[in-house]
Amino acid sequence: MKGKTMTTKTQTPTVPEHGETVFIPLNKLKRHPQNARKTPHSEASIEAKAASIAAKGILQNLVVEPETDAEGEPTGCYLVSVGEGRRLAQLLRAKRKEIKRTEPIRCVIDTANDPAEISLDENVTREDLHPADQFERFRELAETRGWGAEEIAARFGVTAHVVKQRLRLGAVSPKLMQVYRDGDLTLDQLMAFAITEDHARQEQVYEHLSYNREPWIIRRDLTASNVAATDRRAILVGAEAYSEAGGTIIRDLFTEDRGGFYEDAALLDRLALDKLEGIAGQVQEAEGWKWVSAHIDWPHAHGLRRTYPQPVELSEAVETAHDAAQEELERLSAEWEDADVDLPPEVDQRFAELEAEIERIDGRRHAYEADEIARGGVFVVLNHDGEARIERGFIRPEDEAPEPEEEEAEDSSTVIDGVRVNVDGEIMGGDEHDCDGHPVSDHGPEDEDAEDDGKPLSDSLIRDLTAHRTLALRLALGEQPDMALIAVTHALAAQTFYRGGGDAHCLEIRPTSSYLASHADGIEDTAAAKALEDRHAGWAADMPRDVAELWGFVAGLDHASVMALFAHCASLTVNAVKQPWETHKRHAVATADRLATAVALDMTAHWTPTVRAYLGRVTKAQILTAVRDALGDKAADQIADRKKPEMAEAAEQLLAGTGWLPPVLRTGRPAWLADERQEAPATGDMPEAESAEATEDEAFPVAAE
């Protein structure tokens, strides 16, 4: 009204009535101090709620109470009794600029109930959805809506991996899902069944389960006919090639499966052999061998002679190119040795080019002779690490070069002064007779005077003289250890590396090498066998072509090389195989034990206790003894009531990485170590001594004694 002064009065906020649904700005909502949940919501929970709200909105109203000040007047804010998690989720969305901080939130006013009670009631009386229902509903979303794991994950605030796990669980046989609902299967057991989506296979394994339903047993039975991705065949073929050929890889989404399991073993075998045959064909085409043969396993007892590449003298131009590349590589290495930054691309490429050039030229320093390639062949075998193992230079018996025939000299001999000699002037036969058949030794002095001064010495005299020479050589050689080493090494190498080398030495030493593949199946496909073959091939490539030149080769080696060659040849004669009928070899077996101690043999580097190698071939009592030795009574008792196959499988997992060995493979401690322990003080305040003892135990493993 005109001319009248108006006074302004602060208005009290209007308070909605109990039960009324209102929209309240997000920044006006607060956590109720009487909320029953004192443990904060997890970040994952808030993330999931935020994703759900972003996709579908807030499906359940918040329950709030008006906030009042000390005088009981409304402040305009509201305390959230029920729905604190949803409030925090919206705050997270506001922080991410997805919504404004004033975003209206639908709430129900409750001024009648006790806030603490309804907050508690909200969390106590609510029943979560059964996991089986979750799994099946996720599966339905994927099938009916066509949503992938990423989209479902975004709508529910979980990771795509979690969604994939739930989808896989939802694909378990409905029969087994009902067993899970009824409580007769645990979630861990259900996850084990989810390793495959084959319902028939799942149900078959379930029907044949014994009382022991460990998840690992279920996985083992479901994948019994499959091939692990760590298998050498799978490594060679690769997942992509296998899948392109129509193969299926089973993946375990709940454990570390290291690449899964290849479902079709026969397909994998065919693909592996095809790839090996392809490599063999490339080798034959590039190198010209008469034949090639591809195998997944090493072909046992092929009985073929083997040749090795021999040194080849390169031309001056090639040697010059090698030296130039080596010098440039050394210069670049010195130039960039202290550089703290990554090499420039052009420098890195130049390094690779120089290394490839040097390797290419070095590869030409040894080569097979054309005749050996024309008659010989190559085995291409799948190595233990999944790589193709190419072994060259094998000669089949039918391809061997014919031995030169010795000419018969029926009428080529003649009698000279009563002695029959051949065309080379050598004495024929061991006894000398004259033309009348009388021994020449019966001739009198008058006959000897008449003999020609150029008559050869008699066989008996030569034997006499060379016997004295042999005696003298034995005496002299025994006084010269270095030369004895050369002589023995020559004798061993002649018979180890040369066909018919047994008559190329004068020491009556005969090395014998037992064929181990006849005692242990698959032993030639192991890493140890490959390492030994590589060492042998390295020496064979250095040997002179003619065995007559071997002495000069061995004598010309430095001492360390002679010792290395001697050790290699000697190593091939080791035979520590125990045969039940060879009772006379008890001293040899004892010596093998002493040899193992002397060389500090660690069998844990070459052998592990698997079902195939040991546990499946011994009694239950021996399995339990192994576990007890390695891990104690408690671990053994855990598997003591199982059937033999299950016990062996469990023991393999328990013993993995423990270094346990059966007594026959254990290496005894050397005497010097035992002596040092006896001399060591028994006080318990010497950590250095304890540390040294632990180190020595590692050097001479005896496996949980």
Side-chain angles (χ1 to χ4, degrees):
M1 291 179 289
K2 190 174 180 179
K4 188 173 182 180
T5 303
M6 299 287 295
T7 58
T8 303
K9 181 178 180 181
T10 303
Q11 295 183 353
T12 302
T14 303
V15 178
E17 302 206 358
H18 172 76
E20 187 176 348
T21 300
V22 296
F23 284 88
I24 302 173
L26 175 62
N27 60 355
K28 294 294 184 180
L29 297 176
K30 298 181 179 180
R31 181 182 186 278
H32 204 300
Q34 297 184 48
N35 192 301
R37 185 186 293 275
K38 301 305 179 184
T39 303
H41 291 269
S42 67
E43 292 184 8
S45 173
I46 300 304
E47 286 280 359
K49 287 181 172 64
S52 175
I53 293 172
K56 299 173 282 290
I58 297 180
L59 303 179
Q60 184 178 358
N61 297 332
L62 279 68
V63 178
V64 299
E65 178 185 40
E67 182 187 47
T68 57
D69 57 18
E71 286 76 26
E73 296 295 328
T75 64
C77 294
Y78 293 82
L79 305 176
V80 179
S81 305
V82 176
E84 174 63 11
R86 297 188 286 280
R87 182 184 78 88
L88 294 175
Q90 288 292 66
L91 287 175
L92 177 61
R93 296 185 65 215
K95 182 178 180 181
R96 293 174 175 172
K97 308 299 183 183
E98 296 178 13
I99 59 175
K100 296 180 179 180
R101 298 190 66 83
T102 56
E103 175 80 8
I105 309 298
R106 187 172 62 242
C107 303
V108 174
I109 305 298
D110 190 326
T111 56
N113 293 305
D114 178 14
E117 181 180 352
I118 61 174
S119 174
L120 179 63
D121 187 271
E122 166 76 6
N123 293 281
V124 171
T125 59
R126 180 182 61 188
E127 183 176 359
D128 290 333
L129 194 66
H130 192 280
D133 298 328
Q134 295 182 36
F135 307 149
E136 291 178 340
R137 300 295 82 77
F138 268 74
R139 186 77 176 183
E140 288 175 4
L141 287 175
E143 293 177 349
T144 60
R145 305 286 181 88
W147 293 344
E150 297 290 344
E151 185 170 357
I152 296 176
R155 298 179 68 88
F156 287 89
V158 293
T159 65
H161 183 68
V162 169
V163 174
K164 290 176 181 178
Q165 288 180 327
R166 293 178 181 176
L167 292 175
R168 178 64 66 83
L169 287 167
V172 171
S173 161
K175 177 181 178 180
L176 298 186
M177 191 66 76
Q178 187 59 48
V179 175
Y180 170 57
R181 281 193 175 95
D182 295 341
D184 292 330
L185 277 180
T186 67
L187 180 57
D188 285 341
Q189 292 167 338
L190 189 72
M191 289 190 296
F193 277 108
I195 194 173
T196 177
E197 297 185 20
D198 186 341
H199 290 181
R201 179 66 177 151
Q202 293 171 350
E203 294 172 7
Q204 179 188 36
V205 169
Y206 175 75
E207 294 295 336
H208 289 85
L209 282 177
S210 64
Y211 66 93
N212 189 342
R213 299 183 176 184
E214 293 282 351
W216 70 265
I217 292 179
I218 296 173
R219 289 188 179 92
R220 179 204 64 188
D221 292 349
L222 285 169
T223 60
S225 60
N226 307 135
V227 180
T230 53
D231 185 272
R232 55 187 178 140
R233 293 167 291 173
I235 296 173
L236 175 72
V237 173
E240 184 176 351
Y242 172 77
S243 299
E244 289 178 355
T248 302
I249 299 178
I250 299 173
R251 299 303 306 267
D252 191 341
L253 299 180
F254 305 96
T255 63
E256 176 54 52
D257 65 3
R258 294 180 294 177
F261 299 86
Y262 288 59
E263 193 171 29
D264 193 337
L267 173 63
L268 187 61
D269 281 343
R270 179 172 63 79
L271 293 175
L273 192 56
D274 287 347
K275 189 165 185 178
L276 292 173
E277 288 176 345
I279 295 172
Q282 294 172 6
V283 172
Q284 186 177 34
E285 182 179 356
E287 303 178 18
W289 294 94
K290 180 177 181 180
W291 57 267
V292 292
S293 183
H295 303 267
I296 291 179
D297 297 318
W298 183 260
H300 299 313
H302 47 75
L304 307 183
R305 182 175 68 87
R306 186 171 188 181
T307 63
Y308 293 91
Q310 296 299 307
V312 175
E313 186 174 348
L314 302 180
S315 67
E316 184 176 347
V318 174
E319 289 288 6
T320 301
H322 179 275
D323 294 342
Q326 187 67 46
E327 289 176 6
E328 184 178 354
L329 181 64
E330 293 174 357
R331 180 180 59 77
L332 283 177
S333 299
E335 182 179 340
W336 292 93
E337 182 178 9
D338 299 327
D340 296 331
V341 297
D342 293 336
L343 294 177
E346 62 276 9
V347 176
D348 190 45
Q349 181 179 355
R350 186 55 183 162
F351 266 109
E353 292 173 351
L354 291 171
E355 290 170 351
E357 177 67 5
I358 293 172
E359 183 178 355
R360 182 186 67 81
I361 296 176
D362 286 339
R364 296 172 56 185
R365 297 186 184 280
H366 291 82
Y368 290 91
E369 290 193 354
D371 178 63
E372 292 174 340
I373 295 177
R375 292 187 290 111
V378 178
F379 285 110
V380 178
V381 185
L382 181 55
N383 203 22
H384 66 278
D385 58 0
E387 296 292 330
R389 175 178 170 184
I390 303 173
E391 301 291 347
R392 301 171 173 86
F394 290 91
I395 309 295
R396 291 170 173 167
E398 61 269 25
D399 295 327
E400 290 283 6
E403 294 288 345
E405 296 181 2
E406 296 186 6
E407 298 181 359
E408 297 292 337
E410 297 177 356
D411 301 325
S412 60
S413 62
T414 185
V415 177
I416 302 177
D417 294 334
V419 180
R420 183 172 294 278
V421 297
N422 60 22
V423 292
D424 297 321
E426 297 174 342
I427 299 172
M428 300 288 291
D431 295 316
E432 298 95 8
H433 294 79
D434 59 18
C435 294
D436 297 325
H438 300 293
V440 175
S441 57
D442 294 340
H443 290 180
E446 62 280 2
D447 296 320
E448 294 177 1
D449 293 339
E451 289 178 352
D452 185 10
D453 292 339
K455 177 195 171 187
L457 298 179
S458 67
D459 286 353
S460 60
L461 179 55
I462 290 176
R463 285 197 299 269
D464 185 288
L465 296 177
T466 52
H468 283 279
R469 187 168 183 259
T470 299
L471 177 60
L473 277 174
R474 289 180 178 179
L475 180 62
L477 192 62
E479 295 171 349
Q480 300 181 48
D482 289 344
M483 193 53 63
L485 175 63
I486 292 175
V488 173
T489 303
H490 171 268
L492 294 176
Q495 298 170 85
T496 300
F497 294 98
Y498 293 89
R499 181 186 181 193
D503 61 351
H505 59 92
C506 62
L507 274 62
E508 292 185 334
I509 295 176
R510 296 289 184 269
T512 302
S513 185
S514 178
Y515 185 56
L516 297 180
S518 62
H519 301 297
D521 186 35
I523 194 171
E524 290 183 320
D525 298 319
T526 62
K530 181 63 169 63
L532 181 59
E533 176 56 37
D534 289 345
R535 189 176 73 193
H536 186 82
W539 277 113
D542 291 336
M543 293 288 154
R545 173 69 60 182
D546 191 346
V547 70
E549 301 173 6
L550 180 60
W551 179 273
F553 170 78
V554 176
L557 295 174
D558 58 70
H559 181 72
S561 298
V562 173
M563 293 296 291
L565 177 57
F566 171 78
H568 172 69
C569 294
S571 70
L572 298 180
T573 69
V574 172
N575 185 2
V577 178
K578 291 184 178 180
Q579 299 279 28
W581 58 85
E582 294 180 333
T583 56
H584 61 284
K585 289 182 60 176
R586 62 182 184 278
H587 294 303
V589 171
T591 301
D593 293 339
R594 295 187 182 96
L595 177 60
T597 297
V599 300
L601 180 65
D602 181 7
M603 280 302 298
T604 61
H606 309 291
W607 186 90
T608 53
T610 63
V611 173
R612 179 182 178 183
Y614 181 80
L615 299 168
R617 302 164 65 180
V618 297
T619 65
K620 291 178 64 174
Q622 290 167 324
I623 296 174
L624 293 175
T625 298
V627 175
R628 188 172 289 109
D629 284 349
L631 299 168
D633 293 337
K634 183 177 180 181
D637 293 342
Q638 290 177 348
I639 64 172
D641 58 347
R642 300 184 182 183
K643 293 182 179 179
K644 167 106 177 266
E646 298 171 358
M647 180 185 290
E649 292 278 0
E652 178 177 327
Q653 295 195 8
L654 290 172
L655 294 174
T658 63
W660 181 87
L661 296 171
V664 71
L665 293 183
R666 298 177 186 175
T667 299
R669 292 186 176 87
W672 60 264
L673 181 56
D675 293 342
E676 285 188 4
R677 289 189 170 185
Q678 291 176 359
E679 296 173 2
T683 56
D685 56 349
M686 296 185 65
E688 295 84 4
E690 294 175 0
S691 176
E693 180 176 320
T695 302
E696 292 163 346
D697 282 347
E698 293 174 1
F700 300 94
V702 293
E705 285 188 341

